[in-house]
Amino acid sequence: MTNTALSDAVVVSQKKKWGQLALGLLCMISISSPQYVWALFTRPLMEKLNAPLAEIQITFSILIILQTFFSPIQGKLIDRFGPRKLIAVGTVLTGLSWMLVARMESLMELYLYYVVLGGLGTGIVYIGVVGLMVRWFPEKRGFATGMVAAGYGMGAVLTTFPITSSLAAKGLENTLWQFGLIMAVVGFIASQGLRAPQASTAQSADVPHNVSSKNFTSREMLRQPLFWLMFVMMTMMSTSGLMVTSQMAIFAGDFGITSVTVLGMAALPLAMTIDRFMNGLTRPVCGYISDRIGREKMMFIAFGLEGCAMTLWLLCKDDPLLFVLLSGLVFFGWGEIFSLFPATLTDTFGTRFATANYGWLYISQGIGSIFGGPLAALLYQHTSSWGLVFACAITLDIVCALLALLVLKPWRSRFIQQLKVNI
């Protein structure tokens, strides 16, 4: 191949990469609302079904459990049948789940539709898109996974105020039906352009020196204690973040925030909109920085930031303006786990089986949803105070920050060096 032809091939490959990133981002935006606007539905669902908070919150937790616990299987299916078909199915299932919930009359129907269909649908899309990005961008994994994860974390910015307004004007049923249809249509159209990269494309870039020289299968990876350290750390961070995501509307009401305005806007939806923006922004920003300073250093900074911000948040809970601003800082310190952990995992255990491998790590999100959802709600009900719940989340943040710098960093460095020696 001539130099000119090679140069043209590189340009085409680069265009394909960025096109795939844009489509993956749109797919993630289309499935973001079931998790990130859930707090808006808790009280309407409690009233409609005459059910207590803990029973309603089971919906959120099992949603993430199904979204995550089936992800290894979903990753294998995507690797086998290709991203376009499976991700298209996932987007349709996600939208359909809301449309069916609009017609439900019982808790069991809520669990079946919102949890089973929604959990499986969002899980397929999330794992599939992240798995694609770590393969398309081997030299910029932190940034690429951060961008598509930002679509998942930030996408609800587009729906928070519209859903809030729709709930007030049209009610729960019409809101779920209309937005479910929009999610299904947008996601399905975007998924039709997704493609897996050719092996030469995935390996053509200059890969950093701190990346594994071996492609571990999932079975091989699960035998490595280093994987389980990452698993525990992601579980800890998921617990603290999902406690805030799932309970925010409830503790904001207890703090007196839902009845006040900030800068002329209702405080709770304003805080949730800022949160979604910061939760999305942190993913590509921290991923980009981690591509340069190292994953573990960025983890230490971000996890420690969340712990400190959450402490100030609790201390300033009576100030509506500080509540809104600090909530954004809390989410900025949490959302980056969805760029840092998949990038770190693929750096450590290779690219070839990245989709299925991340599926195993993503199960930690489901475990975190149990601790951060119904168990946190039960702890609050038994203590009648959010103080202990926040204390647990803050402790997890600080401990995880220290683990990243003092344990994960040296351990992973030794692991990769040993692999190079054994080649």
Side-chain angles (χ1 to χ4, degrees):
M1 182 180 291
T2 65
N3 290 337
T4 301
L6 181 60
S7 177
D8 291 341
V10 170
V11 171
V12 171
S13 177
Q14 290 296 321
K15 289 182 178 179
K16 285 184 178 179
K17 290 168 68 169
W18 293 105
Q20 292 295 303
L21 181 62
L23 291 173
L25 179 62
L26 191 55
C27 286
M28 289 292 226
I29 290 173
S30 73
I31 64 157
S32 65
S33 293
Q35 177 172 329
Y36 286 104
V37 301
W38 165 253
L40 295 177
F41 295 129
T42 52
R43 288 201 183 277
L45 287 170
M46 289 169 66
E47 295 170 1
K48 177 180 176 63
L49 299 175
N50 193 27
L53 173 62
E55 290 184 8
I56 294 296
Q57 290 293 26
I58 289 174
T59 307
F60 180 83
S61 298
I62 305 180
L63 167 76
I64 300 178
I65 289 172
L66 286 184
Q67 183 188 78
T68 56
F69 278 32
F70 283 90
S71 53
I73 299 174
Q74 293 164 346
K76 282 184 174 293
L77 290 174
I78 290 168
D79 284 341
R80 181 174 180 179
F81 296 105
R84 181 179 63 83
K85 293 179 181 179
L86 270 295
I87 293 175
V89 170
T91 57
V92 171
L93 286 177
T94 303
L96 182 62
S97 70
W98 276 30
M99 296 168 72
L100 291 174
V101 169
R103 302 291 183 258
M104 61 90 190
E105 296 293 339
S106 67
L107 268 174
M108 289 307 300
E109 287 182 279
L110 174 64
Y111 297 157
L112 176 63
Y113 302 145
Y114 205 105
V115 169
V116 177
L117 293 183
L120 293 177
T122 55
I124 291 171
V125 178
Y126 192 95
I127 289 298
V129 173
V130 170
L132 270 181
M133 291 309 108
V134 296
R135 295 171 65 188
W136 274 106
F137 291 85
E139 79 289 4
K140 297 177 181 177
R141 284 186 183 127
F143 171 76
T145 57
M147 282 297 296
V148 293
Y152 190 63
M154 193 187 294
V157 169
L158 302 176
T159 59
T160 298
F161 272 104
I163 287 177
T164 301
S165 300
S166 182
L167 285 170
K170 301 178 182 179
L172 180 66
E173 292 82 1
N174 288 332
T175 298
L176 286 166
W177 175 267
Q178 293 173 5
F179 282 88
L181 180 61
I182 292 171
M183 286 191 295
V185 171
V186 172
F188 179 82
I189 293 174
S191 68
Q192 297 310 293
L194 293 174
R195 300 290 185 274
Q198 297 179 354
S200 58
T201 301
Q203 298 173 0
S204 62
D206 293 329
V207 180
H209 71 280
N210 60 341
V211 172
S212 173
S213 54
K214 177 181 177 181
N215 289 306
F216 285 76
T217 65
S218 295
R219 179 172 295 184
E220 292 171 333
M221 180 189 71
L222 293 173
R223 296 195 187 106
Q224 299 297 324
L226 181 56
F227 166 79
W228 292 106
L229 172 62
M230 295 183 201
F231 189 93
V232 169
M233 290 174 62
M234 189 164 177
T235 300
M236 295 166 67
M237 293 304 301
S238 294
T239 297
S240 64
L242 291 174
M243 184 281 288
V244 175
T245 300
S246 62
Q247 316 287 349
M248 186 170 175
I250 305 301
F251 64 69
D254 292 343
F255 295 164
I257 300 300
T258 55
S259 60
V260 300
T261 59
V262 173
L263 303 176
M265 293 176 279
L268 180 59
L270 175 61
M272 292 180 66
T273 301
I274 293 174
D275 295 346
R276 302 306 170 254
F277 177 78
M278 298 299 283
N279 189 27
L281 178 65
T282 187
R283 302 179 186 200
V285 168
C286 291
Y288 177 85
I289 296 173
S290 76
D291 288 335
R292 283 150 180 77
I293 70 171
R295 313 291 184 211
E296 299 88 353
K297 288 181 181 178
M298 192 65 249
M299 287 180 181
F300 174 76
I301 295 169
F303 301 167
L305 173 65
E306 185 189 350
C308 294
M310 197 173 290
T311 302
L312 292 173
W313 201 19
L314 185 61
L315 294 175
C316 301
K317 64 181 184 294
D318 297 325
D319 188 315
L321 178 59
L322 287 177
F323 180 91
V324 170
L325 295 178
L326 287 170
S327 69
L329 197 58
V330 168
F331 274 82
F332 188 86
W334 175 61
E336 85 296 319
I337 68 172
F338 301 107
S339 59
L340 297 184
F341 278 107
T344 304
L345 185 79
T346 307
D347 287 349
T348 308
F349 296 108
T351 303
R352 183 177 176 185
F353 307 101
T355 305
N357 287 350
Y358 183 55
W360 286 100
L361 182 62
Y362 196 51
I363 291 175
S364 62
Q365 173 85 337
I367 297 175
S369 74
I370 298 173
F371 292 119
L375 291 184
L378 287 172
L379 181 60
Y380 163 70
Q381 288 179 2
H382 282 292
T383 61
S384 299
S385 171
W386 288 105
L388 184 57
V389 177
F390 271 77
C392 292
I394 292 165
T395 300
L396 291 175
D397 291 337
I398 300 302
V399 170
C400 200
L402 295 174
L403 284 174
L405 194 62
L406 302 180
V407 181
L408 179 61
K409 186 176 187 298
W411 191 351
R412 203 171 71 86
S413 179
R414 291 194 303 268
F415 181 80
I416 292 176
Q417 290 302 316
Q418 187 62 44
L419 289 177
K420 292 180 179 180
V421 169
N422 291 337
I423 290 181

